[in-house]
């Protein structure tokens, strides 16, 4: 008996040259159990949520059955990991296909953790419950914050153990993405493909993510410029929310402009440009303050891969690539400054705005002020961690004066601030608390957390509890890869 679950899969990626993937089925698991399910997202994608939650749907999330229309495959890609180039690929992911949504959108439906693939190298192809729930929480929080991101549709426990430092519960995440094309996919094509194959990939990316760019006279330059603009916007949004990706390798940077691959990421508490949470990032390469620059470095790797397509004369191609990359900085700073102005209730732009923002950040750093809560305090006219210092008093006067020069009312400025400063972010201690409960079978804590994170600009009484900082601890918070 087949219920109408609402699968509506297409497989455009599989029409790329064979080099870009290996047909590959998920490996069935012992006893799948659905532990998280995203009802709203399911509905948006055109699924019948009730039917998807039954054994029939869960068998698909577990990789035990394939949905109709699936063309399961593992994607090939390469990447610069901490600066070193290497061949990678979906070592623990299988793309089932692209769901065509009722609105005519196209999104990848991918299982993360469905067993070994031809790209697994030494890995087991599996994922542990904690990290998959963590990706679920952070990606949904990012979505709530209005930051482009892959989404999480479901998590199933597999009923099988996975072995990391200890034995853990196995799980599979169903990830939804605009696509899984990465800067690393282009690096793979440029290094191991023919020019024709690279062109096929670029044409595909253009059609899928930049359909409007196709009309230009140099479509591949338009693709490069489009990705640069979207990544500049994305990384500005990360900075404005205090999000630290943690592992900005080129294989973890999308062509669509979505945040992808939530491994050792975390939200910053105390404002500190040097903040790093990842246990493997000992050099601080991917520290908060380095993210904009790393974005540029990664995009230069993308531009390099695109050079054969940019111009038939390779010197001119290089020039075009360099020019495009040099524009990233301006795109980033204008997005960032616009966002910072909004966080301070400032409309329009004045010469001194950048200095005003930088002075505030400087004081926050010196006083070890909490990033999110300082902006909340300013929003609601409360004392901040810096209040009482002459420096802050002087800054505050300048800020008030700046706002009095704009035609918008104080009420409008307050509204802008409320909509730009989240009441709640997924604070590390809250995420850990939710994961600990979930790993022992209690999902209520996680669901409450997801509920408050879904609308971070609502500023409800319930959210106030989640703004509280953790008790001071001697151990710095650390996140881990090998997830
Ligand atoms: P990540 O650090 O998650 O971006 O992954 C980097 C590379 O390692 C990708 O090619 C992944 O597919 C692969 N990988 C990560 N974990 C595993 C695993 N448990 N088994 C096989 N491959 C993995
Ligand atoms: Mg990755």
């Amino acid at each position: 008996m087949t219920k109408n679950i609402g699968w509506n899969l297409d497989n455009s990626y599989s029409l790329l040259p064979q080099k870009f993937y290996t047909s590959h089925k998920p490996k069935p698991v012992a006893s799948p159990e659905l532990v998280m399910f995203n009802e709203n997202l399911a509905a948006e994608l055109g699924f019948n949520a009730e039917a998807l939650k039954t054994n029939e749907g869960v068998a698909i999330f577990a990789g035990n059955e394939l949905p109709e229309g699936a063309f399961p495959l593992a994607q090939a890609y390469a990447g610069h990991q901490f600066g070193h180039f290497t061949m990678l690929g979906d070592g623990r992911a299988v793309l089932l296909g692209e769901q065509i949504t009722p609105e005519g959108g196209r999104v990848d439906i991918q299982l993360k953790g469905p067993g070994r693939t031809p790209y697994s190298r030494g890995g087991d192809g599996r994922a542990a419950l904690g990290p998959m729930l963590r990706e679920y929480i952070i990606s949904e929080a990012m979505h709530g914050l209005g930051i482009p991101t892959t989404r999480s549709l479901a998590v199933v426990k597999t009923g099988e153990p996975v072995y990391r430092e200890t034995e853990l519960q196995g799980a599979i995440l169903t990830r939804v993405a605009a696509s899984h094309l990465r800067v690393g996919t282009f690096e793979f094509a440029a290094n191991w493909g023919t020019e024709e194959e690279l062109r096929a990939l670029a044409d595909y990316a253009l059609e899928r993510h930049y359909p409007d760019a196709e009309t230009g006279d140099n479509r591949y330059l338009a693709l490069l410029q489009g990705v640069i603009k979207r990544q500049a916007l994305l990384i500005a949004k990360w900075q404005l929310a205090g999000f630290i990706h943690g592992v900005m390798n080129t294989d973890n940077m999308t062509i669509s402009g979505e945040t992808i691959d939530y491994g050792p990421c975390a939200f910053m508490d105390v404002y500190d440009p040097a903040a790093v949470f990842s246990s493997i990032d000992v050099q601080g390469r991917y520290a908060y303050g380095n993210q904009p620059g790393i974005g540029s470095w990664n995009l230069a790797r993308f531009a390099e891969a695109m050079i054969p397509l940019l111009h038939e004369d390779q010197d001119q191609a290089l020039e075009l690539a360099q020019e495009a990359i040099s524009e990233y900085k301006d795109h980033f700073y204008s997005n960032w400054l616009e966002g910072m102005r909004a966080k301070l209730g400032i409309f329009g732009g004045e010469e001194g705005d950048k200095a005003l923002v930088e002075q505030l950040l400087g004081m926050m750093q010196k006083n070890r002020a909490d990033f999110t809560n300082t902006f909340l305090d300013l929003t609601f006219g409360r004392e901040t961690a810096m209040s009482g210092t002459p420096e802050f008093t002087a800054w505050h006067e300048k800020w008030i004066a700046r706002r009095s020069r704009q035609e918008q009312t104080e009420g409008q400025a307050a509204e802008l601030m409320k909509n730009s400063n989240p009441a709640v972010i997924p604070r590390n201690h809250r995420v850990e608390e939710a994961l600990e409960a979930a790993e022992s079978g209690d999902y209520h804590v996680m669901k409450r957390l997801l509920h408050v994170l879904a609308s971070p600009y609502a500023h409800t009484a319930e959210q106030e509890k989640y703004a509280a900082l953790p008790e001071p601890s001697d151990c710095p918070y650390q996140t881990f890869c090998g997830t």
Side-chain angles (χ1 to χ4, degrees), residues 182-407:
R182 304 150 189 268
V183 166
T185 319
F186 282 80
E187 291 180 286
F188 167 76
N191 273 273
W192 289 293
T194 61
E195 193 175 315
E196 224 170 290
E197 285 163 336
L198 176 65
R199 191 178 301 276
L201 179 65
D203 286 337
Y204 179 72
L206 265 165
E207 195 184 331
R208 189 153 174 191
H209 298 301
Y210 299 89
D212 302 334
E214 281 189 81
T215 49
D217 58 351
N218 186 341
R219 48 201 266 109
Y220 302 114
L221 181 61
L223 173 61
L224 175 60
Q225 289 167 331
V227 175
I228 287 170
K229 273 197 194 157
R230 283 203 200 157
Q231 284 293 338
L233 177 62
L234 179 67
I235 297 171
K237 283 177 181 269
W238 291 357
Q239 299 307 98
L240 293 165
F243 173 74
I244 306 174
H245 184 283
V247 60
M248 282 179 76
N249 294 331
T250 56
D251 53 298
N252 294 338
M253 185 181 244
T254 58
I255 298 304
S256 67
E258 286 183 343
T259 313
I260 198 170
D261 272 359
Y262 294 91
C265 60
F267 280 76
M268 182 168 66
D269 37 31
V270 165
Y271 177 71
D272 177 10
V276 174
F277 293 104
S278 168
S279 61
I280 58 164
D281 191 6
V282 282
Q283 309 279 331
R285 178 182 171 92
Y286 298 139
Y288 171 79
N290 289 351
Q291 295 189 131
I294 289 290
S296 176
W297 192 89
N298 287 351
L299 290 164
R301 305 289 78 75
F302 178 51
E304 259 165 30
M306 290 286 288
I307 279 180
L309 306 182
L310 293 177
H311 201 284
E312 40 193 54
D313 177 316
Q314 293 301 278
D315 288 336
Q316 289 196 46
L318 189 62
E319 224 168 275
L320 288 171
Q322 279 165 346
E323 201 179 296
I325 291 296
S326 71
E327 284 164 9
Y328 164 85
K329 211 171 174 176
D330 282 348
H331 291 310
F332 170 79
Y333 275 109
S334 64
N335 288 316
W336 177 82
L337 188 55
E338 191 184 314
M340 277 294 178
R341 283 192 179 110
K343 285 172 88 69
L344 291 173
I346 294 172
F347 294 85
E350 268 187 19
E351 194 65 24
D353 290 347
K354 188 156 179 262
L356 192 71
V357 172
E358 280 167 353
Q359 280 160 15
L360 174 66
L361 294 175
M363 281 186 287
M364 284 165 64
Q365 186 179 359
K366 208 162 75 184
N367 291 278
R368 297 192 59 72
D370 183 83
F371 181 74
T372 303
N373 287 2
T374 298
F375 283 101
L376 273 181
D377 290 340
L378 293 173
T379 301
F380 292 102
R382 298 188 296 239
E383 299 228 314
T384 71
M386 292 90 70
S387 292
T389 65
E391 208 185 351
F392 182 75
T393 308
W395 179 86
H396 201 266
E397 274 170 21
K398 266 197 265 179
W399 178 45
I400 298 287
R402 169 66 182 88
R403 286 180 14 175
S404 69
R405 287 195 295 275
Q406 61 194 16
E407 62 188 37

Side-chain angles (χ1 to χ4, degrees), residues 77 81 88-92 112 119-121 123-126 164 247 251-252 261 481 483:
Y77 55 86
Q81 298 195 303
L88 296 161
D90 283 336
R92 55 148 171 191
K112 188 167 174 180
Y119 309 105
S120 294
R121 299 172 292 163
D124 60 2
R126 291 296 183 191
R164 299 295 180 252
V247 60
D251 53 298
N252 294 338
D261 272 359
C481 276
T483 48

